[in-house]
Structures are given as C-alpha cells and as structure tokens.
Amino acid sequence: LIPSFLSFFTTMTSVEEKRVAVHGGSGATLEYYVLGATVTSWSPTGNAEDDVLFVSENAIYREGKAIRGGIPIAFPQFAGDGPLPNHGFARTAVWTEEEDKCGDGVVVLSLSDSEKTRAVWDHTFSLQLRIVFDNTQCTTTLSVTNTGSEQIEFQALLHTYYRVNDVHGVSVDGLKGLSFLDKVQDFNEFEHTDDLLTITGETDRIFKQASPAPDTKGTVALNTGGKGVRNLEFWAETGADEGSMQQITSDVVVWNPWVEKSKGMGDFGNDEFNNMVCVEPGCVKNKATLDPAHTFNIHQIIRISG
C-alpha cells in the first residue's frame, strides 16, 4: 500500500534532493525541492506522461541556481525590474520543509530572512509556500509576512511552466480586454482584443489587473493543444490575519522564449520552447505593500479538464 504522504530522496547528500509527495486517495503525485521551494511535477494519475508541469531536460539542480521549470517563485523582485538578481532570491535559496504541517496531499515549505538576504534586500520577512493537491486540482499559495517594523514593498509571482504538446497549437483564453506591457516590443502597452492568445513567436507579456480588486478572481484557460485544458484561477490578498484579508489587484504574465532566446539559455534545450508555455500570476506592475505584522497571499489553483 502507498502511504498517504511520502517524502524521500533521489540522493542523500544535499539540498538538490528531490522529494515526492503522494495523495493517498487518488494516487496523484507531486515532486518538489527545498532548493527554491520549487514544485517540479504534478501528475494527477501518478504517471510521468500525465505531468501537468514542464521542466527542461537541461535544468540545473544546484544551490544558487534556479530550476528551469515547474513553479519557481519570483520574490521580492520580478525579472530584472530592480537591483536584485533576476526574479529575486527566493527561487535560488534553500527552504525548510515544515514536516509537521505536511500531510496527505499537502506540502509546506518556509523561508525567513538571513544575513545573506538582508545584504541584498534589507528587510525582515517570513515566506511560506503551501501546496494542496489531488487528482483534479493543485492549489499553490505563497504567503509573505512582514516581521519587521517598517512597511515593505515587493513583487511576487508564481512562474508556472506548463507542459504542452506543440506550442503552435496552444491558446490562452480569458485575456480579452486586458491591457498588457509587451517586453518584446520595448514594454510598449497594448490592449488584447482577440478572444484567444496564440503563441506565434517570442512572447513576454504582462497582463495588468488580470485579477482586479476587490473581489474578482482572475480566470484563464490554457488549451495545451492535445494534453487537455488547464483552468487557472488566481488572486492576491493582504491583511493582519486570516479574517481580515482583502483582495488586491494582481497581474498575469504569459511567456515563451521561442527560437533565438532558447539558444541563449544554457539550462534550456534549443527546441524545448515547442513543449512549454508559462502562465504566471502575481503582483508585478501592481507591487504589493505590506505593513508590519501583516501577511500577503498569492493563490493559484490549477484544475484539469479535457
């Protein structure tokens, strides 16, 4: 019999060890690393061919290096939008597995400020990543708590890589009417007027206010072109405690590096752009501000259909 919760290692020596959790009632599996608190696989059936997430065959599993694929965490900076390393430090840090909070289909990891983080971002904080999954959906919540005495401002995003059959057959529904900043076109702003977004070249767009406050959650449907539909729901909120949370505006990023950029990425295969697309909810243009003793949450729910 498979226990309801498993955590085991592919190697026994370092933070690059892979952990595997199992949802006992359904057999769904989740693979993750304490390196960056990166989820690298969610298979609703437990079979590799049914994996929802994409990870590059060239991914590097080493402290200080982000894993190329899965669900990396961008915090406290998005991309190069500031003085920190690309996407901040959360995705390259070593997190702690909170074993007493883990259970059947539940994984919890945490990270707090340290001398290393304060040297580049002089604030005190605590992060928690909580993943709840079974064979129908996977919910990922990143929580940021301000443990200092001054207000902090940051960006936070779940950089989710989805596995697709062929990117030429992929479409994203739910973006019509949104304004977006196009990084490929010097961050010029446009309105998305089509019913569907298709990927026909390098794509790097920040869709603003995809989940507008105060009470509208963002919803996007990703048609993977043969691997079914991924129905995504996302929203951000802040508050002093669970009972006082108020939703704030959040964005969503759609990214595919296409041909030329793929060739310049050492941890990504030249042709792997064909088999992935990123749909990334978070607070990017709408940065989060957090008072002392307050908490920020960004939620992402992935549901499968088709």
mmCIF file of all heavy atoms in Angstrom, residues 8-19 33:
data_model
loop_
_atom_site.group_PDB
_atom_site.id
_atom_site.type_symbol
_atom_site.label_atom_id
_atom_site.label_comp_id
_atom_site.label_asym_id
_atom_site.label_seq_id
_atom_site.Cartn_x
_atom_site.Cartn_y
_atom_site.Cartn_z
ATOM 1 N N PHE A 8 10.796 11.291 0.126
ATOM 2 C CA PHE A 8 12.028 10.529 0.018
ATOM 3 C C PHE A 8 12.962 11.206 -0.973
ATOM 4 O O PHE A 8 12.618 12.195 -1.606
ATOM 5 C CB PHE A 8 11.762 9.083 -0.390
ATOM 6 C CG PHE A 8 11.078 8.903 -1.715
ATOM 7 C CD1 PHE A 8 11.795 8.870 -2.896
ATOM 8 C CD2 PHE A 8 9.695 8.767 -1.779
ATOM 9 C CE1 PHE A 8 11.163 8.685 -4.106
ATOM 10 C CE2 PHE A 8 9.063 8.582 -2.996
ATOM 11 C CZ PHE A 8 9.797 8.546 -4.161
ATOM 12 N N PHE A 9 14.186 10.709 -1.085
ATOM 13 C CA PHE A 9 15.226 11.403 -1.808
ATOM 14 C C PHE A 9 15.786 10.559 -2.941
ATOM 15 O O PHE A 9 15.881 9.349 -2.849
ATOM 16 C CB PHE A 9 16.378 11.777 -0.860
ATOM 17 C CG PHE A 9 15.926 12.433 0.414
ATOM 18 C CD1 PHE A 9 16.095 11.798 1.644
ATOM 19 C CD2 PHE A 9 15.315 13.670 0.379
ATOM 20 C CE1 PHE A 9 15.670 12.411 2.813
ATOM 21 C CE2 PHE A 9 14.894 14.278 1.549
ATOM 22 C CZ PHE A 9 15.076 13.649 2.761
ATOM 23 N N THR A 10 16.185 11.248 -4.022
ATOM 24 C CA THR A 10 16.873 10.551 -5.093
ATOM 25 C C THR A 10 18.356 10.433 -4.780
ATOM 26 O O THR A 10 19.032 9.547 -5.268
ATOM 27 C CB THR A 10 16.699 11.296 -6.426
ATOM 28 O OG1 THR A 10 17.155 12.646 -6.271
ATOM 29 C CG2 THR A 10 15.239 11.322 -6.832
ATOM 30 N N THR A 11 18.896 11.367 -4.002
ATOM 31 C CA THR A 11 20.254 11.273 -3.482
ATOM 32 C C THR A 11 20.190 11.584 -2.004
ATOM 33 O O THR A 11 19.150 11.980 -1.493
ATOM 34 C CB THR A 11 21.200 12.269 -4.185
ATOM 35 O OG1 THR A 11 20.763 13.596 -3.889
ATOM 36 C CG2 THR A 11 21.193 12.071 -5.694
ATOM 37 N N MET A 12 21.282 11.456 -1.301
ATOM 38 C CA MET A 12 21.226 11.610 0.153
ATOM 39 C C MET A 12 22.246 12.617 0.670
ATOM 40 O O MET A 12 22.664 12.555 1.806
ATOM 41 C CB MET A 12 21.466 10.243 0.819
ATOM 42 C CG MET A 12 20.423 9.196 0.467
ATOM 43 S SD MET A 12 18.748 9.632 0.958
ATOM 44 C CE MET A 12 18.901 9.563 2.729
ATOM 45 N N THR A 13 22.655 13.578 -0.157
ATOM 46 C CA THR A 13 23.788 14.381 0.252
ATOM 47 C C THR A 13 23.551 15.874 0.315
ATOM 48 O O THR A 13 24.329 16.573 0.936
ATOM 49 C CB THR A 13 24.975 14.125 -0.698
ATOM 50 O OG1 THR A 13 24.568 14.416 -2.034
ATOM 51 C CG2 THR A 13 25.420 12.671 -0.602
ATOM 52 N N SER A 14 22.536 16.431 -0.364
ATOM 53 C CA SER A 14 22.500 17.879 -0.488
ATOM 54 C C SER A 14 21.093 18.410 -0.675
ATOM 55 O O SER A 14 20.116 17.662 -0.716
ATOM 56 C CB SER A 14 23.370 18.303 -1.676
ATOM 57 O OG SER A 14 22.767 17.865 -2.874
ATOM 58 N N VAL A 15 21.016 19.748 -0.819
ATOM 59 C CA VAL A 15 19.720 20.416 -0.987
ATOM 60 C C VAL A 15 19.118 20.130 -2.348
ATOM 61 O O VAL A 15 17.972 20.496 -2.601
ATOM 62 C CB VAL A 15 19.859 21.932 -0.800
ATOM 63 C CG1 VAL A 15 20.335 22.244 0.604
ATOM 64 C CG2 VAL A 15 20.784 22.546 -1.834
ATOM 65 N N GLU A 16 19.877 19.491 -3.244
ATOM 66 C CA GLU A 16 19.352 19.175 -4.567
ATOM 67 C C GLU A 16 18.508 17.905 -4.561
ATOM 68 O O GLU A 16 18.122 17.404 -5.615
ATOM 69 C CB GLU A 16 20.489 19.034 -5.584
ATOM 70 C CG GLU A 16 21.222 20.334 -5.870
ATOM 71 C CD GLU A 16 22.349 20.599 -4.896
ATOM 72 O OE1 GLU A 16 22.771 19.644 -4.206
ATOM 73 O OE2 GLU A 16 22.801 21.750 -4.802
ATOM 74 N N GLU A 17 18.202 17.371 -3.388
ATOM 75 C CA GLU A 17 17.418 16.142 -3.293
ATOM 76 C C GLU A 17 15.972 16.385 -3.711
ATOM 77 O O GLU A 17 15.355 17.375 -3.339
ATOM 78 C CB GLU A 17 17.442 15.627 -1.849
ATOM 79 C CG GLU A 17 18.839 15.265 -1.362
ATOM 80 C CD GLU A 17 18.929 15.199 0.147
ATOM 81 O OE1 GLU A 17 18.021 15.742 0.822
ATOM 82 O OE2 GLU A 17 19.896 14.623 0.654
ATOM 83 N N LYS A 18 15.447 15.466 -4.491
ATOM 84 C CA LYS A 18 14.042 15.529 -4.913
ATOM 85 C C LYS A 18 13.154 14.880 -3.860
ATOM 86 O O LYS A 18 13.442 13.791 -3.376
ATOM 87 C CB LYS A 18 13.856 14.832 -6.258
ATOM 88 C CG LYS A 18 12.415 14.806 -6.749
ATOM 89 C CD LYS A 18 12.308 14.242 -8.150
ATOM 90 C CE LYS A 18 12.605 12.761 -8.196
ATOM 91 N NZ LYS A 18 12.437 12.203 -9.549
ATOM 92 N N ARG A 19 12.063 15.560 -3.500
ATOM 93 C CA ARG A 19 11.060 14.989 -2.616
ATOM 94 C C ARG A 19 9.827 14.631 -3.434
ATOM 95 O O ARG A 19 9.513 15.294 -4.413
ATOM 96 C CB ARG A 19 10.661 15.963 -1.518
ATOM 97 C CG ARG A 19 11.630 15.962 -0.322
ATOM 98 C CD ARG A 19 12.508 17.155 -0.311
ATOM 99 N NE ARG A 19 13.180 17.272 0.975
ATOM 100 C CZ ARG A 19 14.456 17.587 1.113
ATOM 101 N NH1 ARG A 19 15.214 17.792 0.054
ATOM 102 N NH2 ARG A 19 14.993 17.700 2.312
ATOM 103 N N TYR A 33 11.422 20.431 -4.543
ATOM 104 C CA TYR A 33 12.761 20.578 -3.990
ATOM 105 C C TYR A 33 12.747 21.654 -2.918
ATOM 106 O O TYR A 33 12.020 22.656 -3.046
ATOM 107 C CB TYR A 33 13.755 20.982 -5.080
ATOM 108 C CG TYR A 33 14.041 19.898 -6.095
ATOM 109 C CD1 TYR A 33 13.120 19.600 -7.100
ATOM 110 C CD2 TYR A 33 15.225 19.176 -6.056
ATOM 111 C CE1 TYR A 33 13.372 18.604 -8.032
ATOM 112 C CE2 TYR A 33 15.491 18.178 -6.986
ATOM 113 C CZ TYR A 33 14.566 17.901 -7.970
ATOM 114 O OH TYR A 33 14.814 16.906 -8.883
#
